[in-house]
Amino acid sequence: MPSQKFETLIVGQGLAGSLLAFRLIRAGQNVLVIDNDLHRSATRVAAGIINPITGHRWNLTDRFFDYLPVAKTVYTELGEALAYDFMQPTEQIRLVKNAGQADYMQRRLRESGYASIITPLETQQIQNQGFGCANISQTYRVDAQQLLKRIQQWLLAQDSLIKEPFDYDSLAATNQAGFTYKTYAFNSIVFCEGIQAQANPWLSTLPFKPAKGSILDIQLHAPLKPMLNWGQWILPTDGGYAKLGSTYEWNELSDIVLERSQQQLIDNAKKFTNIEFSVVNHRVGIRPSTRQRSPFVGELSSLNNAFCLNGLGSKGCLLAPYYVEQLAQLMIRKKPVATELSQWL
Ligand SMILES: Cc1cc2nc3c(=O)[nH]c(=O)nc-3n(C[C@H](O)[C@H](O)[C@H](O)COP(=O)(O)OP(=O)(O)OC[C@H]3O[C@@H](n4cnc5c(N)ncnc54)[C@H](O)[C@@H]3O)c2cc1C
């Protein structure tokens, strides 16, 4: 017989599972989270950049102004509860790499919605190969590693977290439309395993397009204040250190650190900037990216009262608060999520 009863069990305490656990517990639910502390999980590596302008064509991030206000509210509430400033505005200088990009920048400046974000800069000490650079406002950094750590402590303090791999064979549906798992009973389950969902029998056919990424921790030889972005980026952190990232690798998805990825990051930084640095550490993680570039959010068609929040891709820090809210509304108020989010579930 199960010895402990919960309303919701969440599998995975990455960014998705952490924010969802916080949201549901704040709404009064009794929640249990199970996480296996996978060291290459995306959130443990993520730089946490929220960037309004991305890609070679300097595009405005899709639905940026829908996502950003929710992100601000959620990270502020979380910060107040856990006494930490999780989301901070960050100065970003975007370097124009070539004549094509200079063209795109000029084009964007004539379009509505961009002029308040992109401000061309006249002079910079940084090398930019003569094509100029611009200040990109509305850039933020979320400290995803502190977020994981502090939510983990918060959950442990209320006996709401178990650190072990979830064994899918031990999950059983009950006659009362709930579940049992080992000695636990609960009404609903939410799968938030990031790319590990490929091993989940109910989610193994989701159209993921996993993208391995490398980030270097570097020690700067001279002070640097703004984040510099030339497609890859240097993001100053504390005490003379910075992060240099990131790569995209779709074919080699092991957790092995690749020498060629490190070399690519170093070579590009030297090509586009004058920044001198030494490499301190090299970390890899797998982004739970999707073929359709939209996340998987909603209830599973194959299992009653089972839900999924996954596929946050390379912009999880911006997207997660918004989709956590969508899922919480579905679970608590039965308010449906958009069909395109749940069509694969
Ligand atoms: C190199 C790199 C750089 C990135 N940079 C940024 C950035 O600058 N800005 C940004 O917004 N996003 C960035 N991202 C993307 C961001 O990290 C992801 O979108 C986000 O972290 C995904 O969170 P998640 O909770 O879905 O998955 P994950 O973080 O992978 O979490 C899944 C969790 O589930 C657990 N788990 C899985 N299976 C099981 C199981 N069977 N039993 C128990 N536990 C299980 C894992 O241990 C893990 O803790 C980056 C990602 C990478 C790899």
Side-chain angles (χ1 to χ4, degrees):
M1 279 291 284
S3 58
Q4 272 182 283
K5 178 125 179 64
F6 293 87
E7 270 159 291
T8 302
L9 183 134
I10 298 176
V11 183
Q13 194 236 316
L15 185 62
S18 295
L19 293 181
L20 183 67
F22 182 77
R23 174 69 176 84
L24 295 179
I25 290 172
R26 276 293 174 106
Q29 280 206 8
N30 189 12
V31 172
L32 179 67
V33 181
I34 297 185
D35 187 273
N36 63 358
D37 245 338
L38 194 76
H39 66 93
R40 70 183 169 122
S41 79
T43 316
R44 283 178 181 76
V45 179
I49 301 163
I50 290 182
N51 189 357
I53 304 291
T54 53
H56 174 71
R57 298 179 181 189
W58 292 51
N59 285 321
L60 181 63
T61 296
D62 197 30
R63 301 191 61 192
F64 185 75
F65 291 109
D66 292 334
Y67 297 139
L68 187 66
V70 187
K72 282 183 179 173
T73 304
V74 167
Y75 293 121
T76 302
E77 277 174 18
L78 191 65
E80 284 164 5
L82 303 183
Y84 193 84
D85 193 2
F86 291 107
M87 176 175 171
Q88 291 173 351
T90 299
E91 187 184 346
Q92 179 190 168
I93 294 176
R94 172 93 193 236
L95 313 183
V96 183
K97 274 168 80 169
N98 49 41
Q101 283 206 359
D103 224 38
Y104 273 115
M105 181 177 86
Q106 289 309 325
R107 223 187 283 180
R108 297 301 177 217
L109 288 170
R110 291 191 292 273
E111 289 175 35
S112 69
Y114 285 85
S116 63
I117 300 176
I118 303 172
T119 310
L121 295 173
E122 292 300 324
T123 52
Q124 276 304 321
Q125 318 256 290
I126 41 182
Q127 175 183 340
N128 59 20
Q129 313 221 338
F131 293 104
C133 49
N135 186 277
I136 308 291
S137 69
Q138 308 270 11
T139 304
Y140 298 86
R141 181 185 174 220
V142 174
D143 194 333
Q145 288 77 44
Q146 278 296 328
L147 188 151
L148 282 196
K149 199 170 135 194
R150 284 167 189 256
I151 291 199
Q152 185 181 91
Q153 287 162 354
W154 183 75
L155 291 170
L156 285 171
Q158 52 192 305
D159 287 332
S160 288
L161 177 64
I162 302 173
K163 291 166 139 249
E164 65 177 39
F166 184 78
D167 171 21
Y168 298 98
D169 291 337
S170 299
L171 180 69
T174 65
N175 294 336
Q176 292 78 38
F179 300 93
T180 58
Y181 177 77
K182 298 185 178 175
T183 58
Y184 307 102
F186 41 92
N187 304 331
S188 324
I189 184 165
V190 190
F191 295 116
C192 302
E193 306 106 316
I195 204 60
Q196 297 304 303
Q198 290 177 316
N200 178 331
W202 293 280
L203 300 178
S204 57
T205 56
L206 284 180
F208 279 109
K209 192 182 173 193
K212 177 173 172 176
S214 283
I215 290 189
L216 307 181
D217 293 316
I218 57 173
Q219 186 168 23
L220 299 166
H221 295 181
L224 174 70
K225 191 164 169 280
M227 166 189 165
L228 303 181
N229 180 359
W230 61 97
Q232 291 175 347
W233 38 260
I234 293 177
L235 175 72
T237 48
D238 290 328
Y241 289 88
K243 289 176 187 290
L244 166 57
S246 61
T247 55
Y248 282 79
E249 171 73 52
W250 289 276
N251 299 317
E252 201 287 320
L253 296 170
S254 74
D255 50 5
I256 294 169
V257 162
L258 296 176
E259 179 57 34
R260 67 175 144 88
S261 302
Q262 177 160 330
Q263 206 50 53
Q264 182 195 336
L265 288 166
I266 295 170
D267 290 349
N268 276 326
K270 293 208 180 308
K271 182 172 175 194
F272 292 104
T273 78
N274 290 329
I275 307 298
E276 298 283 338
F277 58 86
S278 323
V279 176
V280 178
N281 196 9
H282 177 169
R283 286 177 298 150
V284 295
I286 315 282
R287 302 172 184 89
S289 305
T290 71
R291 279 190 226 142
Q292 283 70 25
R293 292 175 167 224
S294 59
F296 309 125
V297 185
E299 188 164 8
L300 272 57
S301 53
S302 54
L303 197 59
N304 282 340
N305 290 326
F307 301 83
C308 172
L309 177 57
N310 209 319
L312 294 171
S314 57
K315 299 191 173 96
C317 295
L318 175 65
L319 272 59
Y322 182 93
Y323 289 109
V324 161
E325 189 52 34
Q326 300 277 307
L327 187 59
Q329 293 288 339
L330 172 68
M331 294 178 69
I332 298 166
R333 301 217 164 83
K334 308 285 173 224
K335 193 173 163 204
V337 296
T339 343
E340 68 269 20
L341 299 172
S342 57
Q343 63 181 320
W344 303 102
L345 298 174

